[in-house]
Amino acid sequence: MSEYCVSAPGKVILFGEHFVVEGVPAIASAIGLRVRACVTTEVGGDRVIVESNVFGKAEVYPAKPPSWASQFRRIIELFGERFGEIVAAKITIESSLPVGAGLGSSAASAVAFTAAYGLAYGIRLPLPEVSQLAFEAEKLVHGKPSGIDNTISCYGGTILYTRGRGFEHLDVNLPQTVKLVIADSGIQRSTKQAVSLVLARKRKLGKLGDMIYDVARELVHKAIDALRRADIELLGELMDVNHGLLNAMGVSLPELETLVHRARRAGAYGAKITGAGLGGTIIALVDDDRVDNVVRSLSEVAAKVFITSINGPGLKYG
Ligand code: MEV
């Protein structure tokens, strides 16, 4: 077989991270930064080899892979169970997503790998199956993932996720001129630690904590409407409010505050932490004509800055 390629996007949480853990809906969207996976079966022997632009090259089957490749090993085993054989292949993975920054890089890699490895079996797996296999791999990386990342990476677009209720596609009508600027603080953080810190504060605050969560719920409802009506000014303000709530719950840092305030001062509609906080990334909604300004200001202090868009396509073949 000659080489075939697929690609899958990363994601941002636009609204509702952390509050989602206690049942508030969250809004996530596929971004333009993607993982590309190319597969060939012309490798000889019975080995599956993965070559990643981020982690290097490793045999993933039958040898025991290094920890960065354990999610791929899990997917190969699941293919083996489903099809009764393991097909030898070499899969090359090229990611433009930063690792461990809350942008769904592991899920996008798992989705792209699954779809590419399916091609080694001569099939295009249906999207629900790709998503399910990637979810199984995600469990190895994250313990108890919500399923947001693999879902958005497979289907693309923008989704509303409510714990225990699943996913719903959302209508988004933003003009092409609206960009998403992402700034990586370069500060490594543990999602687990951030989640338990927020939950501990909520418990301590009692009724006041419940009220903050009620505000977060109302904010997401308003954001759904603003996304549909393309009310960008309101979306920006809602991002600022969401950031304030995350700060109130204890997951901001001086470095993240600096990034958020720089983005706003340089002309963003709004800016906020995305994901777990305590490090990781912030996002800013910015009009085309102010992108340069915002990127320049963020680049002075951020480890890395990306310009992309939301509501991008999901898994693509070719
Ligand atoms: C982390 O990207 C998002 C959190 O809401 C945790 C989760 O939903 O599992 C902080």
Side-chain angles (χ1 to χ4, degrees):
M1 143 192 191
S2 47
E3 194 177 64
Y4 290 100
C5 298
V6 305
S7 70
K11 67 98 197 12
V12 288
I13 296 184
L14 291 174
F15 297 98
E17 55 274 90
H18 281 294
F19 305 107
V20 70
V21 173
E22 293 284 277
V24 173
I27 300 174
S29 195
I31 56 176
L33 305 173
R34 301 176 71 86
V35 174
R36 187 169 168 80
C38 297
V39 60
T40 174
T41 51
E42 285 161 15
V43 283
D46 60 352
R47 300 180 310 151
V48 181
I49 292 162
V50 174
E51 194 167 349
S52 148
N53 67 323
V54 179
F55 297 105
K57 189 173 175 179
E59 184 175 318
V60 179
Y61 191 92
K64 189 176 172 330
S67 61
W68 64 262
S70 59
Q71 60 162 345
F72 304 131
R73 167 65 174 237
R74 179 80 188 115
I75 294 166
I76 292 163
E77 287 167 351
L78 291 167
F79 267 86
E81 285 168 23
R82 170 124 162 26
F83 295 102
E85 64 165 333
I86 305 273
V87 171
K90 180 180 169 201
I91 296 174
T92 310
I93 294 180
E94 221 175 288
S95 175
S96 54
L97 288 157
V99 174
L103 299 181
S105 87
S106 67
S109 300
V111 166
F113 179 92
T114 303
Y117 194 50
L119 295 177
Y121 283 76
I123 50 165
R124 280 190 183 196
L125 277 181
L127 283 184
E129 270 191 67
V130 175
S131 186
Q132 184 58 37
L133 287 168
F135 183 61
E136 294 302 322
E138 279 283 278
K139 285 186 194 164
L140 282 184
V141 183
H142 290 306
K144 268 194 177 170
S146 60
I148 289 188
D149 291 13
N150 51 288
T151 302
I152 196 79
S153 189
C154 258
Y155 295 94
T158 302
I159 58 171
L160 183 72
Y161 170 73
T162 314
R163 199 170 187 163
R165 262 205 259 153
F167 306 93
E168 198 182 308
H169 175 80
L170 290 179
D171 267 352
V172 173
N173 298 304
L174 296 189
Q176 298 276 324
T177 51
V178 176
K179 301 284 182 249
L180 188 78
V181 176
I182 302 175
D184 184 357
S185 67
I187 300 168
Q188 297 283 326
R189 88 285 183 259
S190 145
T191 298
K192 219 170 167 182
Q193 187 199 347
V195 168
S196 51
L197 187 138
V198 168
L199 290 176
R201 180 169 285 191
K202 177 173 189 268
R203 264 196 309 277
K204 197 166 175 186
L205 292 177
K207 194 164 170 226
L208 177 59
D210 294 341
M211 288 165 83
I212 294 174
Y213 277 60
D214 286 343
V215 172
R217 184 184 301 276
E218 181 58 27
L219 187 143
V220 169
H221 289 308
K222 257 189 135 48
I224 294 169
D225 194 43
L227 281 166
R228 193 176 44 232
R229 289 188 296 105
D231 187 339
I232 308 159
E233 306 246 339
L234 177 59
L235 268 179
E237 284 180 58
L238 292 172
M239 285 169 77
D240 290 349
V241 174
N242 195 155
H243 180 78
L245 297 181
L246 290 168
N247 192 356
M249 295 312 292
V251 291
S252 194
L253 294 177
E255 292 86 344
L256 298 173
E257 291 302 312
T258 299
L259 290 171
V260 160
H261 284 278
R262 274 182 174 254
R264 291 176 189 160
R265 201 177 309 138
Y269 289 110
K272 65 182 276 289
I273 287 169
T274 187
L278 292 183
T281 46
I282 68 109
I283 53 173
L285 203 61
V286 188
D287 211 69
D288 244 353
D289 58 1
R290 295 180 174 181
V291 163
D292 285 351
N293 236 5
V294 171
V295 168
R296 200 174 312 119
S297 178
L298 290 173
S299 299
E300 285 172 21
V301 284
K304 220 158 182 190
V305 179
F306 305 88
I307 307 166
T308 184
S309 51
I310 60 164
N311 209 37
L315 176 63
K316 281 207 280 197
Y317 287 84

